């Protein structure tokens, strides 16, 4: 072998594959240094003198190659891993509606509901063409139940079962009660499988991972009616699998034009939903806060181009605006900017008259109003700010109008809710979350800017010299030029595949069902004594017992959730504490709401409140 042209430096620009036919020793996980100092030429190509002093150890390189090739899985290995992983998913989903939304196993369901609509075991979760059902005599917990095949786990310290007379046990079992929202380490929580020098079997890895099902809030549970629950569909999970497997760099046309086009198709489709022109631009992001931050960056660059003006810049929010909006100021380097929280009216909408007064006063004090945020679907109440009136004020004072549609945005698909989004088409930017209204996995937000050029001006990437040979076209709008993110996950398939497979109509119907269920809950509670209920705008319903202390309403919450069928929380709006229900999970249907209504009725009866002759409705 001629090695006279090898570099004499210790860093090599070229890799030369070892072609020797020697049988090398069994792979090990620690190797000697690849370089040795020698004045001799070694035979049989195991060591080759690169210069008068440096010797390259080809045997060492071959051993590294052998180890590295472990990452190159075969079709059979991939099929086996996917089969076993899918089995764990099916077991988790089968158990989903049987356990408490926060993860603890509930006792057997008593006979529930109006006219006994819901019987024990009536909630059956089915998965796949060969459906696995759970019935009244089969309440099992843990990701390893209902398994068959050579790898089934039949018994052992990690097996967890629950039945009519069984209590959870096992060293890895996490238990919680109806009043517990898990945080930190539970009493039986275990550490994840450690990162170690040598690998373990796929069975051990999956067994360890699947314990997460017993140590998490189950946001896909039909009784999870707290916060804004996240949901994910099977096609979305497949989309993530395909994205990770093909693994394109999806932020540049030169790297993968089709991946870029998939993302742009989603952005333009959402833009049309809100009435934006084709000149809009946007991006899929890691969530609503990042989408808002991208929009606010564009607003800052356009409205406050000089950093010396940051301290007198003013951002206007309502008292119900999501806390993530103000958080973005710090990340944007505008921590010293002024934040005005505008009160809401009796319908929980931003009071535009007070907004105008705030702005007029700030202008008189030589401050710089630059951004106002309207919300179409507040997290606390589901209320919708009057966007047309806010737009008029923003235009008068040359301000940027951003619309936070993260929770409520995709209700624009529903004909009954379209009027709520009047004026959104005039906003300068919009943030919306596909991981809410389109049931994509967590980590899926979307930002839209009406004038796409402004977004591009704030984010255009100046490539380093290492990319100087890449062919570019100025007409290409690369996603990397529309966000601060680079090397981002290929998020488009998790949104696109479910839309392509199910069609938009399916998502429209699912969202419309939630609107109808919220109305149904409101009307049923409105007729109950001792209950004050706020009429919903979207799918969030607030209710309380009026004329009693907050502690009494918290006691009502505990009574409703004590058996673990439902997970709801409280919120405080305009100084008043309410129990808050959000109906958003695609697995939540009328029978679930009927059971919940009877929980409320029974809880009120147990509290032995004074008789009243009328109901309170708000």
């Amino acid at each position: 072998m001629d090695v006279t042209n090898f570099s004499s430096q210790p860093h090599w620009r070229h890799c030369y594959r070892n072609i020797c036919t020697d049988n090398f020793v069994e792979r090990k996980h620690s190797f000697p240094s690849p370089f040795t100092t020698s004045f001799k030429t070694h035979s049989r190509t195991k060591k080759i003198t690169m210069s008068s002093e440096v010797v390259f150890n080809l045997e060492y390189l071959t051993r590294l190659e052998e180890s590295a090739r472990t990452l190159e899985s075969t079709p059979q290995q991939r099929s086996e891993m996917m089969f076993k992983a899918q089995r764990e998913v099916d077991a988790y989903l089968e158990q989903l509606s049987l356990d408490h939304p926060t993860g603890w196993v509930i006792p057997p369901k008593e006979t529930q509901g109006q006219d006994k609509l819901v019987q024990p075991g009536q909630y059956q979760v089915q998965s796949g063409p060969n459906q696995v059902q759970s019935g009244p005599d089969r309440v099992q917990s843990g990701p390893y139940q209902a398994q068959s095949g050579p790898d089934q786990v039949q018994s052992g310290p990690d097996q967890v079962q629950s039945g009519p007379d069984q209590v959870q046990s096992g060293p890895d079992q996490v238990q919680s009660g109806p009043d517990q929202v898990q945080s930190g380490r539970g009493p039986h929580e275990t550490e994840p499988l450690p990162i170690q020098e040598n690998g373990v079997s796929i069975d051990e890895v999956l067994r360890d991972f699947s314990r997460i099902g017993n140590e998490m809030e189950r946001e896909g549970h039909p009784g999870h009616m707290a916060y804004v629950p996240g949901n994910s569909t099977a096609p979305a999970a497949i989309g993530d699998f395909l994205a990770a497997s093909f693994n394109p760099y999806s932020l540049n046309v030169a790297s993968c034009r089709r991946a870029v086009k998939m993302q742009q198709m989603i952005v333009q489709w959402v833009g049309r939903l809100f009435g934006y022109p084709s000149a809009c631009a946007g991006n899929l992001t890691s969530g609503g806060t990042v989408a808002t931050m991208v929009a606010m960056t564009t607003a800052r660059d356009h409205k406050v181009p000089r950093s010396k003006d940051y301290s007198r810049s003013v951002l206007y929010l309502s008292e119900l605006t999501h806390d993530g909006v103000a958080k973005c100021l710090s990340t944007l380097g505008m921590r010293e900017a002024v934040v005005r929280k505008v009160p809401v009216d009796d319908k929980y909408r931003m009071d535009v008259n007070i907004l105008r007064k705030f702005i007029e006063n700030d202008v008189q004090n030589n401050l710089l109003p630059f951004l106002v945020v309207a919300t179409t679907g507040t997290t606390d109440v589901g209320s919708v700010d009057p966007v047309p009136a806010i737009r008029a004020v923003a235009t008068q004072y040359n301000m940027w109008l951003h619309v936070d549609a993260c929770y409520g945005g995709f209700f624009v698909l529903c004909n009954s809710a379209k009027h709520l989004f009047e004026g959104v088409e005039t906003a300068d930017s919009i943030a919306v979350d596909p991981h809410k209204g389109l049931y994509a996995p967590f980590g899926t937000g979307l930002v839209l800017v009406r004038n796409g050029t402004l977004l591009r001006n704030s984010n255009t990437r100046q490539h380093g010299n290492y990319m100087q040979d890449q062919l570019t076209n100025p007409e290409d709008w690369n996603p990397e030029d529309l966000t601060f993110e680079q090397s981002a996950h290929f998020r488009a398939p998790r949104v696109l595949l479910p839309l392509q497979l199910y069609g938009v109509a399916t998502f429209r119907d699912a969202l419309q069902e939630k609107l109808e269920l919220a109305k149904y809950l409101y009307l049923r509670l409105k007729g109950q004594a001792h209950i004050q209920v706020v009429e919903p705008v979207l799918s969030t319903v607030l209710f309380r017992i009026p004329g009693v202390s907050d502690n009494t309403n918290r006691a009502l919450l505990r009574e409703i959730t004590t058996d673990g069928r439902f997970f709801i929380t409280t919120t405080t709006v305009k100084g008043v504490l309410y129990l808050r229900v959000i109906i958003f999970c695609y697995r939540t249907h009328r029978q679930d709401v009927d059971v919940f209504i009877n929980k409320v009725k029974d809880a009120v009866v147990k509290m032995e409140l004074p008789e009243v002759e009328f109901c309170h409705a708000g």
Side-chain angles (χ1 to χ4, degrees), residues 138-189:
R138 212 167 153 263
V139 183
Q140 296 181 329
S141 166
Y144 314 118
Q145 308 300 323
Q147 298 178 354
S148 62
D151 301 309
Q152 70 177 16
V153 179
Q154 296 179 335
S155 64
D158 296 331
Q159 186 175 17
V160 183
Q161 296 181 334
S162 71
D165 301 313
Q166 290 176 317
V167 180
Q168 292 171 292
S169 64
D172 301 315
Q173 182 63 49
V174 174
Q175 298 176 335
S176 63
D179 303 325
Q180 295 175 318
V181 178
Q182 294 176 337
S183 62
R185 287 180 56 79
H188 302 287
E189 186 175 337

Side-chain angles (χ1 to χ4, degrees), residues 231-471:
N231 298 262
S232 180
T233 64
I238 293 171
D240 263 1
F241 167 71
L242 292 173
S245 298
F246 282 81
N247 198 33
Y249 180 73
S250 58
L251 301 184
N252 191 297
V253 168
S255 297
C256 186
R257 177 175 292 273
R258 191 169 187 83
V260 171
K261 294 301 182 184
M262 290 172 69
Q263 178 159 304
Q264 289 175 338
M265 182 168 65
I266 295 168
V267 168
Q268 290 294 320
W269 174 71
V270 175
R272 290 193 296 273
L273 289 180
F274 290 108
Y276 262 20
S278 59
C280 74
N283 222 324
L284 290 169
T285 70
S286 64
T289 300
V290 170
T292 299
M293 186 162 62
V294 172
M296 289 176 64
T297 301
T298 309
R300 178 201 64 188
D301 294 347
H302 185 55
K303 297 295 184 181
V304 194
R306 300 182 303 179
S307 60
K308 70 177 185 178
D309 292 325
Y310 289 176
S311 61
R312 66 186 191 94
S313 300
V314 189
L315 165 67
Y316 300 88
L317 318 169
S318 94
E319 59 181 301
L320 296 180
T321 301
H322 194 278
D323 57 85
V325 175
K327 177 182 178 181
C328 291
L329 283 176
S330 179
T331 307
L332 294 176
M334 300 185 71
R335 185 189 298 269
E336 67 271 31
V338 180
V339 178
R340 302 280 187 228
K341 291 193 175 182
V342 182
V344 295
D345 60 20
D346 57 356
K347 294 185 178 180
Y348 306 107
R349 306 173 304 178
M350 180 185 287
D351 191 316
V352 179
N353 291 328
I354 298 179
L355 169 66
R356 187 183 296 275
K357 291 178 181 178
F358 279 178
I359 296 173
E360 290 173 351
N361 185 66
D362 288 336
V363 171
Q364 290 174 5
N365 287 284
N366 197 34
L367 296 180
L368 179 61
F370 86 102
L371 173 63
V372 58
V373 177
T375 304
T376 53
T378 59
T379 309
D380 288 275
V381 185
S383 53
V384 175
D385 289 334
V387 178
I390 297 173
R391 171 75 271 176
V393 174
T395 299
Q396 179 181 350
Y397 291 96
N398 192 29
M399 299 169 61
W400 185 282
L401 171 60
H402 174 71
V403 170
D404 178 354
C406 289
Y407 155 43
F410 284 108
F411 284 111
V412 74
L413 288 168
C414 305
N415 292 329
S416 67
K418 284 186 182 296
H419 67 283
L420 298 173
F421 298 90
E422 180 184 353
V424 172
E425 72 279 0
T426 68
D428 296 293
S429 57
I430 305 170
V432 63
D433 277 347
H435 68 216
K436 293 185 175 74
L438 293 183
Y439 305 124
F442 278 129
T444 318
L446 191 148
V447 60
L448 284 166
V449 176
R450 196 173 193 277
N451 184 342
T453 300
L454 297 179
L455 177 63
R456 194 181 193 187
N457 291 344
S458 288
N459 294 278
T460 298
R461 178 182 181 185
Q462 301 298 324
H463 286 140
N465 293 338
Y466 66 95
M467 297 185 71
Q468 63 189 13
D469 296 329
Q470 187 180 66
L471 298 177

